Amino acid sequence: MGKTLIYSCEFMDNGSIAVIGDNQAFMVKSNYSDIDRYSYDGLTLTAFSYDRAQGGVISLSPSSDGGNCHIVYLNKNGSLDKITDTQYRISSIDIYGGKIAALCDGGITAFYTTSGDEAGTADSGIDAQSISMYGENSVYVLGISEIREASAG
């Protein structure tokens, strides 16, 4: 596969290590010898996040403008699965308690389950820069001049 530039890594609560790189993501199991890899296959990484109890989540785009992102869930036990395709450009993503929130173009936050089912949307505001989940259907939104809340449903 060639070399991978590591952007970030995080220990999971079961001793595994989630690693996000420029061309692949992988989960190093707690025995430190078994590694499950997920190649991006030429897709562009647009956002990623971790939850020590769940694993990690990444968004990958097939286009250079970052649109039509795929969401990939990296289970802390090593299961690396593409869970859904979107029509969105995703600039920020987070995972919390079995749900994933993705900040999409147009100021929309889309919520998904870790199995890929849509779980609602929320208006995050056109100035939204980043999100952080604090509940399964709620996010803090970092806007240009404030931090605010948004919830689905």
Side-chain angles (χ1 to χ4, degrees), residues 14-147:
N14 66 352
S16 295
I17 305 169
V19 181
I20 305 297
D22 63 340
N23 59 11
Q24 67 179 325
F26 40 99
M27 189 68 70
V28 179
K29 300 222 177 143
S30 58
N31 64 12
Y32 304 121
S33 60
D34 294 331
I35 300 174
D36 292 314
R37 299 175 189 275
Y38 186 91
S39 171
Y40 302 164
D41 293 325
L43 301 176
T44 302
L45 178 69
T46 64
F48 64 88
S49 185
Y50 304 104
D51 180 295
R52 292 177 45 97
Q54 299 286 314
V57 63
I58 60 176
S59 60
L60 301 169
S61 174
S63 60
S64 60
D65 72 350
N68 298 319
C69 283
H70 311 298
I71 296 176
V72 179
Y73 172 53
L74 302 101
N75 181 292
K76 70 178 181 179
N77 296 316
S79 172
L80 307 172
D81 300 310
K82 181 174 89 168
I83 61 166
T84 193
D85 295 324
T86 75
Q87 73 269 20
Y88 301 116
R89 178 179 299 119
I90 297 174
S91 59
S92 181
I93 198 163
D94 202 8
I95 182 171
Y96 181 94
K99 294 271 183 81
I100 296 166
L103 178 61
C104 306
D105 49 352
I108 301 296
T109 295
F111 292 86
Y112 300 91
T113 65
T114 54
S115 59
D117 299 322
E118 290 187 33
T121 59
D123 181 7
S124 299
I126 200 70
D127 70 332
Q129 303 296 304
S130 184
I131 56 171
S132 179
M133 293 183 79
Y134 69 90
E136 288 192 2
N137 296 309
S138 303
V139 294
Y140 290 116
V141 178
L142 175 63
I144 290 176
S145 63
E146 68 178 353
I147 296 173

